Amino acid sequence: MMSIKTLLLSIKRIIKGEHKRYIPVNLCGTSLQVLPGTCRANPDQDDAWWFYLSKHHHVIFDIGCNIGYTALIGLIHDPNKKMILVDPNPKALQKAALNIINNGIGNKVYYQAAFVGNTVDDTVRFYTIGAGAAGSMYPTHAKTAASMNAFMDVKTITLDHLFIFYDMKPDLVKIDVEGAETQVMEGAKVLAKDTQCTFFIEMHTVENLGMEAAAAFMLDWCAQMDYKAWYLKTGSLLTSAAIIKDRGKCHLLLLPENKSYPNYLKGITQNAPLPNSI
């Protein structure tokens, strides 16, 4: 039988080992303990936009959450925010969950390992390596993984399915799916109609479409759903797909026609640093 002293030493080793897994970081003035490599040292071009969007919304779907960096930015404002984090890569999703749980800021967060597209319960080949690097259903958007033939078969769902299944009404949906943006929006019409939520979309050149045709799709979707598309780099309405035809990546904000461009985003530029406090 294990002695009390031996048991206590074992527990101490476990706790010490678990503690070593995490490193301290400061995210917008908030002290966190996170897994190494899960918080960016330098902000991405859309981090500041996301900071202010997530600050002003309360029920968020994070589609393509990867290792959960954007989720952390959203949750430091309010640990009781409702969120659904979705990513095809379970290893990445696990890291996101560990960071959130370890910092006690995900009291109302759900996790779903799936590929969000325009069908339910199909299977797609998702190219990815490990956890952290962005993956894609397209080899052209995940070249390293594709060159190594590193992929996983992942079941598909739609935003409409998530909306109905979780019975959760988002006011903000973030979409970062490495070239599958048009598919995601094809499966989001019930959600958009019933919630009138805001969509924050990282647009990529879509395989077999290109950026101009993908942007034209988004404008057509907006016309059908009574939405407007805003080009975040300029803070202006996107009136023509040609405006972004030469972009390899850009960011759009889709708002219902009766909503104005948010005042809190005015003056926030692409690549702006994150604020020092929340």
Side-chain angles (χ1 to χ4, degrees):
M1 182 180 292
M2 184 181 290
S3 69
I4 292 177
K5 182 179 179 180
T6 303
L7 178 62
L8 289 173
L9 285 172
S10 297
I11 294 172
K12 185 177 180 180
R13 287 193 201 100
I14 292 170
I15 293 172
K16 188 176 180 181
E18 286 295 306
H19 180 71
K20 283 184 177 179
R21 295 181 66 189
Y22 298 92
I23 60 172
V25 298
N26 186 291
L27 187 60
C28 305
T30 303
S31 296
L32 300 173
Q33 294 282 332
V34 302
L35 294 168
T38 53
C39 275
R40 288 194 277 264
N42 299 306
D44 205 355
Q45 60 181 229
D46 60 339
D47 284 355
W49 292 325
W50 175 247
F51 174 91
Y52 290 104
L53 281 165
S54 59
K55 182 176 182 177
H56 288 85
H57 292 84
H58 307 287
V59 182
I60 299 171
F61 287 8
D62 189 344
I63 309 303
C65 69
N66 203 318
I67 51 179
Y69 176 64
T70 52
L72 290 177
I73 292 174
L75 287 166
I76 57 175
H77 302 294
D78 176 7
N80 290 310
K81 242 171 223 195
K82 292 182 179 179
M83 295 186 77
I84 299 177
L85 306 189
V86 188
D87 199 86
N89 185 345
K91 292 181 180 178
L93 192 63
Q94 183 185 51
K95 285 192 171 184
L98 285 171
N99 277 347
I100 290 168
I101 294 167
N102 185 59
N103 288 283
I105 56 173
N107 302 329
K108 298 178 181 178
V109 176
Y110 295 87
Y111 307 90
Q112 179 84 44
F115 179 89
V116 180
N118 55 6
T119 60
V120 175
D121 209 28
D122 283 335
T123 302
V124 299
R125 179 171 289 188
F126 186 74
Y127 292 91
T128 188
I129 301 173
S136 177
M137 68 180 293
Y138 298 116
T140 53
H141 289 67
K143 292 180 180 178
T144 301
S147 69
M148 299 171 62
N149 202 32
F151 65 87
M152 58 183 72
D153 291 327
V154 183
K155 287 292 185 180
T156 64
I157 55 175
T158 65
L159 274 174
D160 288 342
H161 173 82
L162 283 170
F163 168 53
I164 294 166
F165 181 82
Y166 285 97
D167 192 24
M168 190 182 297
K169 215 169 186 181
D171 52 12
L172 175 62
V173 176
K174 173 190 148 284
I175 299 169
D176 184 1
V177 290
E178 301 294 327
E181 298 81 30
T182 55
Q183 290 189 32
V184 175
M185 297 311 291
E186 283 178 357
K189 292 183 178 179
V190 173
L191 179 145
K193 182 180 178 182
D194 288 1
T195 69
Q196 294 291 284
C197 65
T198 295
F199 291 92
F200 176 55
I201 304 174
E202 181 168 294
M203 287 286 296
H204 297 258
T205 299
V206 177
E207 191 163 289
N208 300 321
L209 274 181
M211 183 61 87
E212 186 170 11
F217 172 93
M218 290 296 179
L219 291 174
D220 288 343
W221 186 95
C222 286
Q224 292 175 30
M225 302 305 297
D226 296 322
Y227 268 68
K228 290 181 179 178
W230 296 82
Y231 181 29
L232 277 164
K233 184 178 181 181
T234 60
S236 58
L237 273 175
L238 185 69
T239 55
S240 168
I243 294 171
I244 61 172
K245 68 177 183 178
D246 295 324
R247 295 294 304 271
K249 180 176 80 172
C250 66
H251 296 83
L252 302 181
L253 192 68
L254 272 50
L255 297 171
E257 283 191 344
N258 61 353
K259 289 186 180 178
S260 302
Y261 189 78
N263 284 326
Y264 55 78
L265 288 183
K266 293 177 180 177
I268 306 300
T269 60
Q270 183 172 289
N271 295 310
L274 287 169
N276 293 323
S277 67
I278 56 174

